[in-house]
Amino acid sequence: MDFTNLLIYWYLQNKRDLPWRNTQNPYLIWLSEIMLQQTRVAQGMPYYLAFTKAFPTVFDLATASEQAVLKLWQGLGYYSRARNLHKTAQHVAFELNGIFPDNYNELLQLKGVGDYTAAAIASFSYNENVPVVDGNVFRVLSRFFDVNLDISLASTKKEFQNLALELMPKNDAATFNQAIMEFGALQCVPKSPNCTICVMNKSCAALQKKKVDQLPVKSKKTKVSHRYFNYVIFEDDNQHTLISQRVDKGIWHNLYEFPLIETETATDIITFAEHLESFDLLPNRITNITLLSPNHPIHKLTHQHLHILFWKINVKGVIDGGIDYEKLKTFPFPIVIYNFIENHFLK
């Protein structure tokens, strides 16, 4: 058997029963594809089920508030996906009468939809002959055909798209695309794949040449920056605290957080107390300063490592605009802050 027949044979024997595979509804497929960007299926599944229950149609999602969407997305990460999801739902619902574009080129015009997502929706919903190319596809094709091109380069992506298009059966793009992604997710995994049970092992060029662990080639390294966040949990005589919404562009845009002091390096209590002078209600109302996170939790994002400390500041009197701890859980927070709230205030 050739590559395509072997692949589809394997897929039909091994594919997972995933809810978005049992529909051609472009809304549901779009929703799943946005959620699964840079996210494992096991992590994304509960969110998909929660979203489809809360927002069964694109109109339901479009008419929801952004805060409700962000709250339901809480913990899935890459929150720009949620904001783009909401804006695209509004565009489709109110400007396209609830009807998703039915081809790859028009799908590309939707906010938050790139080459991969447009190809997935076009092939899964409309069976358009367009190949999906993601990390799984790079890995499978580079190993089977011994392709040594650097996948960090845009030109390489085009090469893989052309190769996948050649291999794709012209009457069943959806099955081929699902199959090659599933094969990469379950069998041809990034590290230590079990090649002894692989249906491709007699034909895989990388296996024959003992290069499986060398492919795909990727030269560009992600540069990681370190940031030091000091969150201030004010507590007044009514046990109320302060939060605010992050309005600046960047990480966690439109999510909520405690007042933040960002420093260039890790800080101790003396240095931290000096920074507190920037808050109007200080220093004459401070009664106590407590470090609530002595283990210095590090929250790792793709390009940033956040070194996070939570400081509790007891203050005299009543804080203007303060809210109680129970109400905190109704706001969308970055998951690292929400977990802190649950551990310290919602037990």
Side-chain angles (χ1 to χ4, degrees), residues 75-87:
L76 197 54
Y78 301 98
Y79 290 91
S80 60
R81 292 183 296 170
R83 295 190 295 272
N84 289 336
L85 188 84
H86 192 219
K87 290 173 183 174

Side-chain angles (χ1 to χ4, degrees), residues 125-145:
S125 292
Y126 309 113
N127 208 28
E128 184 178 351
N129 287 323
V130 284
V132 296
V133 176
D134 68 350
N136 288 318
V137 177
F138 278 133
R139 190 164 57 254
V140 172
L141 293 181
S142 67
R143 287 174 176 173
F144 187 87
F145 294 101

